[in-house]
């Protein structure tokens, strides 16, 4: 009974995190407010700081709130093992790029289209798992990947609408930028996720310590990117220009979302994750249409979305056990 409750709690947390982050990020990037809009590069840096602080508290809790034990474990794992720490610079840099790309994508795509297209990370993760971890995919997994690509292609299918040529050209340009950002984010997500999984399997260290290491590199890379691309605006109006309640909500969801999922994912099987993805896509579509009002669904979009949802379930289907099965 307790296990069943934890599963449903996991489902609720997964749906809430994946849906709320996308919708609030999209809302924050399209919200018309006085003064300058917040810098996406700044939000990425602040999220890394928040993630590091949270992980430090979790490590402290693991060691019975002993500051001496915390200091010892951080020095031993971060300062005394520089090679192991440097290995995390690669996925950290890629995650930083990915986080910035998500802001670009949601500045140019509605939440529903983004949610469906971003499921291509299943494809990239599967391919990197095969090449880097030596996993073997079953017939259901390969079939689901083909269905997934078909569904995403249909979602991106251009629709006919009565708009002026100038507006249509601008919309097409924004769509291209958004889709390109999502595709690069999918590739980076797949590679970084598999690379990080490989590192975790090769060591026995706490996942929270590994996230501190990731966060430290992410902070450095993010700070460098912010100064390189938005340095002038930072000097003029500060790092926290344009921040409001919505912005802080986005930052908190981005910083804590991955940690929350890491904490509850052990209770969620593949079918449950499929339900979470499906519910998130449906909720994002409904809220984009009724609340944000930036999405005009078509029959082709719904067919594509159904195919993507079906592919998500099929990829997690447990068929006959194989010598080295793949898991989503």
């Amino acid at each position: 009974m307790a296990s069943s409750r934890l599963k449903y709690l996991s489902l609720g947390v997964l749906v809430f995190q994946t849906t709320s982050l996308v919708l609030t990020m999209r809302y924050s990037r399209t919200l018309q407010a006085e003064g300058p809009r917040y810098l996406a590069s700044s939000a990425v840096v602040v999220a890394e700081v928040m993630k590091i602080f949270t992980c430090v508290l979790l490590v402290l809790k693991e060691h019975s709130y002993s500051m001496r034990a915390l200091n010892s474990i951080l020095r031993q794992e971060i300062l005394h093992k520089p090679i192991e720490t440097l290995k995390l610079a690669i996925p950290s840099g890629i995650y930083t790029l990915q986080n910035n790309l998500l802001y670009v994508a949601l500045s140019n795509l509605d939440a529903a289209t983004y949610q469906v297209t971003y499921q291509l990370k299943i494809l990239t993760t599967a391919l990197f798992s095969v090449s880097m971890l030596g996993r073997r995919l079953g017939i259901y997994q390969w079939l689901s990947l083909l269905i997934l690509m078909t569904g995403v292609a249909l979602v991106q299918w251009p629709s006919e609408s009565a708009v002026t040529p100038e507006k249509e050209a601008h919309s097409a340009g924004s769509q291209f930028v958004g889709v390109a950002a999502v595709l690069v984010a999918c590739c980076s997500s797949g590679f970084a996720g598999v690379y990080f999984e490989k590192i975790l399997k090769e060591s026995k260290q706490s996942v929270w310590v590994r996230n501190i290491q990731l966060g430290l590199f992410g902070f450095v890379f993010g700070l460098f990117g912010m100064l390189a691309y938005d340095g002038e605006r930072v000097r003029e109006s500060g790092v926290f220009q344009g921040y409001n309640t919505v912005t802080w909500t986005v930052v908190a969801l981005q910083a804590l979302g991955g940690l929350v999922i890491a904490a509850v994912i052990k209770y969620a099987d593949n079918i449950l994750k499929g339900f979470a993805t499906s519910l998130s896509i449906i909720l994002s579509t409904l809220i984009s249409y009724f609340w944000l009002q930036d999405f005009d669904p078509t029959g082709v979009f719904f067919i594509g979305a159904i195919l993507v949802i079906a592919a998500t379930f099929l990829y997690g289907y447990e068929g006959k056990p194989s010598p080295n099965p793949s898991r989503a």
Side-chain angles (χ1 to χ4, degrees), residues 51-282:
K51 184 171 73 174
I52 293 171
F53 180 74
T54 304
C55 287
V56 168
L57 291 180
L58 289 169
V59 174
L60 186 64
K61 180 178 180 296
E62 282 184 346
H63 293 83
S64 304
Y65 299 100
S66 169
M67 291 299 297
R68 180 178 295 180
L70 174 66
N71 182 51
S72 174
I73 197 72
L74 292 182
R75 278 192 303 166
Q76 179 181 348
E77 293 301 325
I78 297 176
L79 297 179
H80 295 169
K81 296 180 180 179
I83 302 300
E84 293 297 317
T85 300
L86 283 173
K87 286 181 181 179
L88 289 161
I90 296 175
S92 179
I94 296 174
Y95 277 134
T96 304
L97 171 65
Q98 175 191 333
N99 289 334
N100 280 281
L101 287 172
L102 296 188
Y103 282 98
V104 175
L106 282 164
S107 297
N108 295 278
L109 293 176
D110 60 83
T113 303
Y114 165 84
Q115 277 280 58
V116 177
T117 308
Y118 194 48
Q119 297 313 309
L120 276 177
K121 64 184 178 181
I122 296 174
L123 170 65
T124 59
T125 301
L127 295 179
F128 282 119
S129 294
V130 170
S131 60
M132 294 174 63
L133 298 179
R135 284 181 175 163
R136 298 170 64 183
L137 302 182
I139 184 65
Y140 291 111
Q141 281 72 40
W142 286 114
L143 180 60
S144 71
L145 296 179
L146 290 175
I147 296 173
L148 177 68
M149 288 188 290
T150 304
V152 171
L154 288 176
V155 166
Q156 298 302 329
W157 196 268
S159 59
E160 296 181 0
S161 56
V163 295
T164 62
E166 293 81 3
K167 188 174 181 180
E168 185 176 359
H170 176 73
S171 176
S174 296
Q175 182 89 358
F176 176 79
V177 171
V179 171
V182 174
L183 293 179
V184 176
C186 286
C187 293
S188 62
S189 174
F191 176 79
V194 173
Y195 187 96
F196 187 48
E197 180 184 348
K198 188 176 182 181
I199 291 176
L200 286 177
K201 287 185 175 181
E202 291 175 351
S203 68
K204 297 180 180 180
Q205 190 46 258
S206 163
V207 67
W208 307 126
V209 173
R210 292 299 179 216
N211 272 285
I212 292 173
Q213 294 170 311
L214 278 177
L216 290 172
F217 283 115
F219 171 75
V220 173
F221 290 136
L223 186 63
F224 177 80
M226 181 181 69
L227 295 177
Y229 291 100
D230 297 313
E232 187 174 341
R233 283 187 284 180
V234 169
R235 285 188 291 271
E236 288 177 358
S237 306
V239 174
F240 299 104
Q241 58 180 287
Y243 273 54
N244 53 32
T245 304
V246 177
T247 308
W248 283 110
T249 302
V250 171
V251 170
L253 286 171
Q254 189 175 33
L256 306 179
L259 301 179
V260 170
I261 291 177
V264 303
I265 203 69
K266 61 182 178 180
Y267 301 111
D269 55 22
N270 285 324
I271 296 176
L272 201 65
K273 288 191 289 185
F275 268 118
T277 301
S278 304
L279 288 173
S280 181
I281 290 173
I282 293 169

